[in-house]
Amino acid sequence: MAATAAGSTITMTTTTDPAALLKLAAWLSPSFPVGAFAYSTGLEWAVEAGLVERRAGLEAWLRTVIATGPPRQDAVLVARSWRAVTTGDDGALVETAELASALKGTAELAQETIVQGGAYLRTVSAAWPSPRLDAVARTLAGVGIEPALPVAVGAASAAHGVALGPTLSLFLHAVAANQVSAAIRLSVIGQTDGQRVTAALEPVILAVAAMAEAADPDDLGAAAPMLDWCSMRHETQHTRLFRS
């Protein structure tokens, strides 16, 4: 697949070499030290309010969130940052980073993406050194921007020559897996049902990844007002396990 950005043609593949897949497996693993385990993206209040119950309820919630909510928008931001770093367009990178920081609907959701994005970029740079990724960090630091998670993911993959297609698919899979893990800890489902939900989400993950790879860079938007409402209510939830 070919796309045009900043006057250049970029070839984006949906396959990648084994070494690149190993990088993605590490970077988007639940054990990668970005603190993802501490966030539920509003799910904790949705459970408290009785909006998400049992396996069917969780699966329906996550299908909607991934297809129309912040993960859809974040996937487009991953693609934008990947293209900006691939073409060496610092202006597009800064613009994307600014958008990513501004597009979250609540304070908790903004904190979630910024804290994880900064940790992601620092950890990848420390364990997989790359002059290209160092340049990304300098560019963003120069304008006082701490990268949101999708920007850090797209930039790291581009800097290390990892294809966009698998980056998008595994990024969205990591989002879903973290939500399933949160649901297990909230006692909505057990471990086996968690895997059933993860398996059931594969079609929507692949569809959103394909959309983001082919989308116009300005095709940004999310429509999940209930998630934003849950996030706002979570800010004052009396007893909670998660930071969002």
Side-chain angles (χ1 to χ4, degrees), residues 44-45 48 186 233-234 236-242:
E44 185 168 22
W45 176 260
E48 175 76 13
L186 289 167
R233 292 300 302 268
H234 186 268
T236 56
Q237 187 171 338
H238 180 64
T239 303
R240 57 186 188 174
L241 295 175
F242 298 96

Side-chain angles (χ1 to χ4, degrees), residues 89-166:
D89 189 341
D90 288 348
L93 175 64
V94 169
E95 181 185 20
T96 300
E98 290 173 339
L99 280 169
S101 298
L103 286 173
K104 293 303 180 184
T106 71
E108 284 192 351
L109 295 179
Q111 178 197 54
E112 178 178 335
T113 192
I114 294 300
V115 170
Q116 290 188 69
Y120 188 96
L121 198 60
R122 289 190 295 273
T123 304
V124 172
S125 295
W128 289 266
S130 162
R132 207 170 179 192
L133 196 56
D134 290 343
V136 167
R138 287 193 300 272
T139 296
L140 296 179
V143 292
I145 297 176
E146 185 84 355
L149 182 59
V151 174
V153 170
S157 286
H160 283 274
V162 179
L164 179 57

Side-chain angles (χ1 to χ4, degrees), residues 27-98:
W27 298 346
L28 296 169
S29 162
S31 65
F32 201 66
V34 297
F37 65 89
Y39 300 95
S40 82
T41 318
L43 180 62
E44 185 168 22
W45 176 260
V47 172
E48 175 76 13
L51 299 174
V52 175
E53 297 179 329
R54 298 182 291 277
R55 186 178 107 197
L58 177 66
E59 183 181 325
W61 175 270
L62 292 181
R63 281 183 184 277
T64 301
V65 167
I66 293 169
T68 67
R72 178 197 183 279
Q73 184 164 264
D74 284 350
V76 176
L77 291 167
V78 169
R80 279 183 62 130
S81 60
W82 186 94
R83 293 188 181 103
V85 174
T86 297
T87 59
D89 189 341
D90 288 348
L93 175 64
V94 169
E95 181 185 20
T96 300
E98 290 173 339

Side-chain angles (χ1 to χ4, degrees), residues 129-215:
S130 162
R132 207 170 179 192
L133 196 56
D134 290 343
V136 167
R138 287 193 300 272
T139 296
L140 296 179
V143 292
I145 297 176
E146 185 84 355
L149 182 59
V151 174
V153 170
S157 286
H160 283 274
V162 179
L164 179 57
T167 296
L168 288 166
S169 297
L170 288 177
F171 169 75
L172 291 166
H173 182 272
V175 170
N178 192 63
Q179 290 280 279
V180 168
S181 174
I184 292 170
R185 283 174 283 160
L186 289 167
S187 300
V188 177
I189 52 173
Q191 296 281 353
T192 301
D193 273 350
Q195 295 308 306
R196 290 188 177 108
V197 171
T198 300
L201 293 173
E202 288 177 5
V204 69
I205 287 171
L206 293 173
V208 173
M211 176 283 302
E213 186 172 6

